Amino acid sequence: MAEYEIEMLHITKRFPGIIANDDISLRLKKGEIHALLGENGAGKSTLMSVLFGLYQPEEGEIRKRGVKVEIHDPNDANDLGIGMVHQHFKLVECFSVLDNIILGVEPNKAGFLQKKEAREKVLSLSEKYGLRVDPDAIIEDITVGMQQRTEILKMLYRDNEILIFDEPTAVLTPQEIEELMEIMRNLAKEGKSILFISHKLNEIMSVADRCTVLRKGKYIGTVDIKDTTAEGLSAMMVGRDVNFHVEKKPAQPGEVVLDVQNMVVASKSHNNNAVKGVSFKIRKGEIVCIAGIDGNGQTELAYGLSGLEPVKEGVILFNGVDIAHMSIRKRNTSGLSHIPEDRHKHGLVLDYSLENNIVLERYFEPEFTSKAGFLKEQNIRAYAERLIAEYDVRSGQGPVTIARSMSGGNQQKAIVGREIDKNPDLLIAVQPTRGLDVGAIEFIHKQLVALRDAGKAVLLISLELDEVMDVSDRILVMYEGEIVGELDPGTATVEELGLYMAGAKRDEVKS
Amino acid sequence: MKKNLLKSEGFQTFIASLICIVLGLLVGFIVLLFINPAGATEAILAVIKNFFNYSMANLQLKNFGNTLVKTAPLLMCALSVLFCYKVGLFNIGAAGQYVVGTCISLYAALGWGMPWWMCMIFAIVVGGVYGALVGFLKAYCNVNEVISGIMLNWIGLYTTNMILSNVKDVASPYTLHLKDYAPQAVLPTVGLDQFFSGNTYVSLAIPLSILVAVVLKVVLDQTKFGYELKATGYNKHAAKYSGMAEKRNIILTLAIGGALAALGGAMLYLTDYEQWACTQSSVPGMGFNGIAAAFLGGLNPVGTIFASYFIQHITSGGAYVDKTLYSAQISDLISALIIYLCGFVGFMKLAMKKRLSKREEKKGESK
């Protein structure tokens, strides 16, 4: 029998103007956990899409157990036993776990469902691999972790031998991540081969057997995990040494800038309030971080503070003035900056030029608009050029580049520059590094710390635990719309943080 | 240099518009062939020639003037559609706003004896309010502007019929001739009639409409107001985030759109070239043709000037088709076909861009 379960040999895939995969080879052994590591845009998704039959490569071939195969569409992939857990689950929200698992391969007799045997198969699979699920629970009622286990069972139910996990830990709590790692080890032990796509080095170090690294579409190498370190992998991924730890002096908090009292914000997706009477204070010269799993009211908290959603109840004292019902323009001009969670929805007018985006919150100032209402284009250009230089925003044509054509990292740098250059008393940064590569993350973290050191306050809302632990001076944990704990990143552990985030632990937090 | 020209946005729009025009004429020709092959060539030529169908120079000029008289209101409707479209709103209500503008300007002229400039101001104000109504419904009740626009088109039409019945001719359904009953309200020719062999319908309205187009271009490209409106149109969430008064901008935009279209109505009927038929049971096509003109002009105010003229040219040209060979509606059909294909400008541009980038890719490979 061949040594490798799946071999992708010398795969090259070109798109207009870019080579997404340039002569990449990846060999997956039976029963191993093989990590695929790379920054955004390194070509991981393209390579997996080739394996899944979504793209046809220009060069190279795919072999299964030494035999050359053609994969033209996802059905071919499925026939070859390749299954995938997508980053965003593909589940029917209002169906039960069992219904979701059998979806598409429903056992039936003359069109009538035979759920009984399906249930037995699911139960035996879940027992065999330690995948705890309740087959009759409705998807929308269960936790994200259980939804993910449903996705895994879907692959197993179809007797898939090769399992692809696309950034599976992004949505999980630390405890759930640990559980998932255990499940992956079990699956490998039972002879399944696993491809694990991630850019989180510690997870790769703890679970994978081997790791293939891609950088800018090129194959960098495959290493045995036991022969390498996280630093070594990171250098392979980025091409240089990266400082993971954010350098910063101890915080020197001054007077209170923001004093939130019993703030309530309604939810758009359900009748319940998303933010339920939250109170906290932020002082000058500190970075306060709101930690929590996605969807626990952090987004709405930021909307309430910035004015994008109305505040139902409560008081927001900003420099001693209640801004709870103030217009967005007034908040913006009185010293509040906001790096929005969704840079495409709120942060940028994508069809505007970079320079027009840079003055998005200042175009009306006398520096940029004459008394008669005409824009002062020269001043706008000069201002944009200064910010572009200061924040190292790279783009095709400089200030006149259309924002849509810029990379995510540079779009975000432009927003960060715009918000920080307003010289705010308080910066609300919501997931400022989401989807960015290591270099850009490092840059943005430095900017946040510099702002703090200049005596300004920063409210950081983040889902990334590393970011929470590294950047903040104080951590507030949000769970189901309430602040359930306050932690000191110097003394708290990730495990402790995880317990708060999962709602397993809570304190009375004094504001 | 040549490459740059091909890549420039304006040039691409121009070429795409030309292709659409040619295609429209071609399809029109094919339809004519199906109906009656004998006169098809002549008929399509008649449409293209419009006033050149006359052999005498003075008649040509006079009829060229008539085409221009009707171009001015069309241009105003097109500008109304274009302006709202830049803010992400589809002002199909321009047709109704045009009617309302007609109504108030004629009534101010015949009923109240106002001078022409007062009639125009009335049209602007009432049209603005009528447009703002759509904006208000959109901003505060989240009513789609297309739905409320269409409804208000009909409300406007029947209200107009009702009101203008008070100032109509006793013997016919048409409103009274301004030249006889309200000469103070007839738009001044400002000497333009001399250039069109004494066509006194050629008036101030024509240069005024072109001026409005230029002003709109400046407002959209160079002012704070234009910056805000376009930002709202491209991404209303980002506009809100940056603190722009999004609701106010929606209402203001539709108010301006309404005023533009209504002024268009005044610009036609105050020349006395046409009279309103109080029995009219369908909304005049002027506002709807404005949509086509705006798109054919590549959503650029200056391009729209030429697009409006072209559409009016073929619409007027339709009148010269031989009615013994084709039914009376044929001219409308031909112009409708061309206008319909004019809607494909955006599609044509996309196709051109794709071809261009493909060609470049090939060049890159051969290197």
Side-chain angles (χ1 to χ4, degrees):
Chain A
M1 199 171 125
E3 184 187 2
Y4 295 108
E5 190 74 7
I6 280 279
E7 289 172 280
M8 300 181 79
L9 300 172
H10 308 291
I11 300 288
T12 297
K13 174 71 199 165
R14 292 189 194 90
F15 292 110
I18 191 168
I19 304 178
N21 285 170
D22 186 359
D23 191 17
I24 290 176
S25 295
L26 187 148
R27 293 184 170 89
L28 181 63
K29 285 181 194 165
K30 189 170 170 62
E32 81 164 339
I33 301 178
H34 193 117
L36 184 59
L37 176 67
E39 290 185 300
N40 293 295
K44 292 173 298 191
S45 308
T46 308
L47 190 65
M48 286 306 107
S49 299
V50 167
L51 182 57
F52 224 61
L54 295 169
Y55 292 139
Q56 300 306 314
E58 271 90 36
E59 287 161 38
E61 59 177 51
I62 300 172
R63 290 184 190 164
K64 185 179 184 192
R65 294 185 184 145
V67 184
K68 189 177 171 190
V69 291
E70 299 281 340
I71 304 177
H72 295 291
D73 55 48
N75 290 335
D76 290 347
N78 195 41
D79 292 342
L80 291 168
I82 302 170
M84 184 155 171
V85 176
H86 295 269
Q87 200 174 353
H88 302 283
F89 304 148
K90 317 260 182 223
L91 296 169
V92 183
E93 291 269 302
C94 55
F95 273 17
S96 74
V97 169
L98 181 65
D99 290 341
N100 267 288
I101 292 172
I102 61 173
L103 197 68
V105 287
E106 302 89 348
N108 65 75
K109 270 185 193 147
F112 290 95
L113 279 178
Q114 304 292 315
K115 275 200 198 175
K116 211 174 147 199
E117 47 186 286
R119 175 191 301 272
E120 274 162 21
K121 185 170 174 187
V122 168
L123 284 175
S124 77
L125 280 172
S126 90
E127 201 169 316
K128 184 172 171 191
Y129 296 103
L131 291 155
R132 289 180 297 103
V133 290
D134 169 9
D136 300 313
I138 305 297
I139 293 295
E140 56 192 357
D141 298 336
I142 63 179
T143 63
V144 177
M146 207 178 285
Q147 291 178 9
Q148 192 171 53
R149 290 198 285 275
T150 307
E151 282 278 14
I152 298 171
L153 276 169
K154 246 165 88 178
M155 296 194 294
L156 297 174
Y157 186 84
R158 286 159 177 73
D159 299 318
N160 288 332
E161 291 295 320
I162 298 134
L163 314 178
I164 305 170
F165 287 82
D166 185 7
E167 306 209 3
T169 60
V171 290
L172 302 181
T173 64
Q175 281 76 14
E176 284 175 324
I177 291 174
E178 202 39 62
E179 215 170 317
L180 174 70
M181 300 283 154
E182 200 48 50
I183 291 167
M184 284 167 70
R185 287 188 198 106
N186 276 338
L187 289 167
K189 218 174 359 186
E190 294 290 332
K192 306 280 183 192
S193 309
I194 295 176
L195 260 174
F196 175 43
I197 304 169
S198 180
H199 53 235
K200 291 185 181 166
L201 298 168
N202 49 357
E203 287 164 11
I204 291 177
M205 291 305 293
S206 84
V207 76
D209 300 310
R210 293 194 304 151
C211 178
T212 293
V213 184
L214 306 184
R215 189 200 314 150
K216 290 182 183 153
K218 290 205 167 57
Y219 174 77
I220 302 300
T222 301
V223 289
D224 273 327
I225 291 298
K226 57 180 187 296
D227 302 333
T228 188
T229 60
E231 285 73 22
L233 282 178
S234 138
M236 280 175 83
M237 170 168 78
V238 189
R240 64 183 167 89
D241 289 330
V242 175
N243 192 354
F244 285 119
H245 196 68
V246 181
E247 298 289 340
K248 58 175 188 170
K249 298 183 296 234
Q252 286 167 328
E255 55 194 279
V256 173
V257 173
L258 183 76
D259 184 358
V260 180
Q261 297 163 10
N262 292 313
M263 181 166 99
V264 176
V265 182
S267 167
K268 285 226 150 166
S269 50
H270 50 80
N271 292 329
N272 221 331
N273 290 326
V275 178
K276 301 167 185 161
V278 160
S279 301
F280 62 92
K281 283 189 179 112
I282 301 179
R283 294 168 190 283
K284 281 185 177 170
E286 67 171 351
I287 300 177
V288 174
C289 184
I290 307 266
I293 300 164
D294 199 9
N296 275 289
Q298 304 99 311
T299 303
E300 288 81 358
L301 176 76
Y303 283 177
L305 291 176
S306 60
L308 286 171
E309 289 283 335
V311 173
K312 253 168 99 177
E313 283 169 42
V315 176
I316 306 171
L317 291 175
F318 179 54
N319 284 330
V321 183
D322 185 10
I323 61 164
H325 303 288
M326 209 180 246
S327 76
I328 296 176
R329 173 62 47 89
K330 267 197 178 155
R331 295 186 211 210
N332 279 347
T333 50
S334 62
L336 189 73
S337 268
H338 175 204
I339 299 173
E341 178 177 4
D342 190 335
R343 59 176 163 265
H344 289 172
K345 185 176 174 190
H346 289 118
L348 296 167
V349 178
L350 286 172
D351 293 310
Y352 259 179
S353 62
L354 174 57
E355 60 182 356
N356 274 345
N357 272 296
I358 281 176
V359 294
L360 193 61
E361 288 159 304
R362 305 185 69 163
Y363 65 92
F364 50 86
E365 291 177 7
E367 193 190 339
F368 304 118
T369 299
S370 70
K371 280 207 181 101
F374 283 88
L375 293 174
K376 296 179 181 169
E377 281 169 34
Q378 282 176 327
N379 291 8
I380 292 174
R381 176 69 49 89
Y383 179 67
E385 275 170 354
R386 178 167 75 74
L387 246 61
I388 288 169
E390 261 175 49
Y391 291 89
D392 186 31
V393 183
R394 291 177 210 168
S395 58
Q397 297 140 292
V400 296
T401 315
I402 298 299
R404 189 184 292 283
S405 70
M406 292 163 57
S407 74
N410 283 303
Q411 288 175 345
Q412 188 72 353
K413 277 186 192 170
I415 295 174
V416 168
R418 177 179 81 201
E419 297 305 315
I420 290 181
D421 201 73
K422 272 167 65 191
N423 194 22
D425 292 328
L426 171 68
L427 171 66
I428 302 169
V430 189
Q431 297 198 55
T433 59
R434 182 162 75 168
L436 302 188
D437 61 49
V438 186
I441 291 174
E442 203 182 2
F443 177 85
I444 288 170
H445 285 168
K446 270 188 190 152
Q447 297 296 331
L448 295 182
V449 172
L451 193 66
R452 177 201 77 161
D453 290 344
K456 311 294 182 183
V458 178
L459 177 67
L460 173 67
I461 296 179
S462 176
L463 306 176
E464 296 284 336
L465 283 180
D466 294 338
E467 184 167 86
V468 171
M469 295 300 280
D470 258 15
V471 182
S472 63
D473 300 313
R474 208 144 61 83
I475 301 171
L476 300 172
V477 185
M478 241 180 134
Y479 177 72
E480 293 196 336
E482 291 175 78
I483 290 182
V484 295
E486 176 171 344
L487 296 149
D488 175 0
T491 55
T493 62
V494 174
E495 288 70 32
E496 199 181 349
L497 187 56
L499 289 176
Y500 282 103
M501 282 165 64
K505 200 172 163 185
R506 64 185 297 160
D507 312 330
E508 277 311 308
V509 180
K510 57 236 167 276
S511 61
Chain B
M1 182 61 209
K2 193 186 157 203
K3 209 172 162 191
N4 282 343
L5 190 66
L6 273 176
K7 271 193 173 171
S8 95
E9 194 75 10
F11 185 73
Q12 282 181 358
T13 308
F14 178 70
I15 295 292
S17 302
L18 275 187
I19 295 175
C20 286
I21 289 171
V22 172
L23 271 180
L25 290 170
L26 200 69
V27 175
F29 180 63
I30 292 169
V31 172
L32 285 174
L33 277 179
F34 268 104
I35 298 173
N36 190 341
T41 316
E42 242 169 86
I44 199 80
L45 282 178
V47 170
I48 299 169
K49 274 158 81 181
N50 185 8
F51 51 82
F52 287 112
N53 282 305
Y54 295 98
S55 52
M56 272 149 66
N58 63 333
L59 274 178
Q60 282 183 2
L61 270 181
K62 204 164 190 170
N63 282 284
F64 177 45
N66 285 344
T67 303
L68 286 181
V69 167
K70 290 196 83 173
T71 301
L74 178 62
L75 175 57
M76 295 305 291
C77 288
L79 290 173
S80 165
V81 172
L82 176 149
F83 188 73
C84 296
Y85 196 80
K86 289 276 179 193
V87 194
L89 298 162
F90 195 60
N91 187 20
I92 203 163
Q97 292 147 8
Y98 168 82
V99 171
V100 167
T102 302
C103 171
I104 190 68
S105 57
L106 282 181
Y107 197 81
L110 294 163
W112 299 328
M114 299 272 186
W116 59 270
W117 54 273
M118 274 303 285
C119 297
M120 278 191 155
I121 290 174
F122 265 105
I124 290 171
V125 171
V126 172
V129 170
Y130 209 64
L133 203 58
V134 178
F136 182 84
L137 288 169
K138 167 91 178 176
Y140 289 99
C141 312
N142 200 21
V143 177
N144 188 300
E145 76 275 12
V146 173
I147 308 286
S148 55
I150 292 175
M151 301 248 188
L152 283 166
N153 283 350
W154 292 101
I155 295 171
L157 176 73
Y158 289 116
T159 314
T160 298
N161 282 346
M162 205 170 74
I163 292 175
L164 290 185
S165 292
N166 297 321
V167 292
K168 82 177 182 67
D169 190 38
V170 191
S172 76
Y174 290 100
T175 51
L176 295 165
H177 276 275
L178 291 186
K179 285 206 165 112
D180 303 332
Y181 292 86
Q184 84 291 346
V186 177
L187 286 173
T189 58
V190 289
L192 286 170
D193 51 337
Q194 296 160 28
F195 300 103
F196 296 92
S197 49
N199 184 342
T200 51
Y201 300 121
V202 179
S203 71
L204 181 68
I206 293 156
L208 190 63
S209 63
I210 292 173
L211 181 71
V212 170
V214 175
V215 168
L216 273 191
K217 170 120 182 100
V218 173
V219 167
L220 282 171
D221 286 353
Q222 292 175 20
T223 66
K224 180 185 115 175
F225 185 53
Y227 175 91
E228 278 200 13
L229 292 187
K230 281 190 292 180
T232 312
Y234 283 138
N235 183 349
K236 63 173 185 223
H237 301 288
K240 186 179 180 192
Y241 157 86
S242 76
M244 294 173 192
E246 175 206 3
K247 292 193 159 114
R248 190 205 67 188
N249 282 351
I250 288 176
I251 297 174
L252 200 55
T253 304
L254 281 159
I256 292 173
L260 289 169
L263 188 57
M267 280 181 176
L268 178 61
Y269 286 91
L270 291 180
T271 61
D272 208 26
Y273 179 74
E274 273 184 21
Q275 289 71 40
W276 182 264
C278 298
T279 49
Q280 196 141 324
S281 60
S282 68
V283 183
M286 199 63 94
F288 303 119
N289 286 354
I291 298 172
F295 281 91
L296 183 65
L299 292 168
N300 176 319
V302 177
T304 302
I305 298 175
F306 298 103
S308 300
Y309 175 75
F310 171 75
I311 289 185
Q312 194 51 53
H313 182 89
I314 52 159
T315 309
S316 301
Y320 299 105
V321 174
D322 189 346
K323 300 289 184 334
T324 54
L325 291 174
Y326 300 101
S327 67
Q329 282 84 9
I330 197 72
S331 61
D332 286 339
L333 178 67
I334 298 295
S335 43
L337 276 171
I338 294 173
I339 292 169
Y340 180 79
L341 275 145
C342 289
F344 286 81
V345 170
F347 173 77
M348 281 292 163
K349 256 170 87 176
L350 204 73
M352 276 169 59
K353 275 188 187 158
K354 265 193 185 162
R355 281 200 71 148
L356 268 179
S357 64
K358 248 191 192 165
R359 221 195 290 169
E360 248 166 51
E361 210 178 293
K362 268 191 188 161
K363 260 188 208 165
E365 271 173 21
S366 64
K367 267 178 204 165

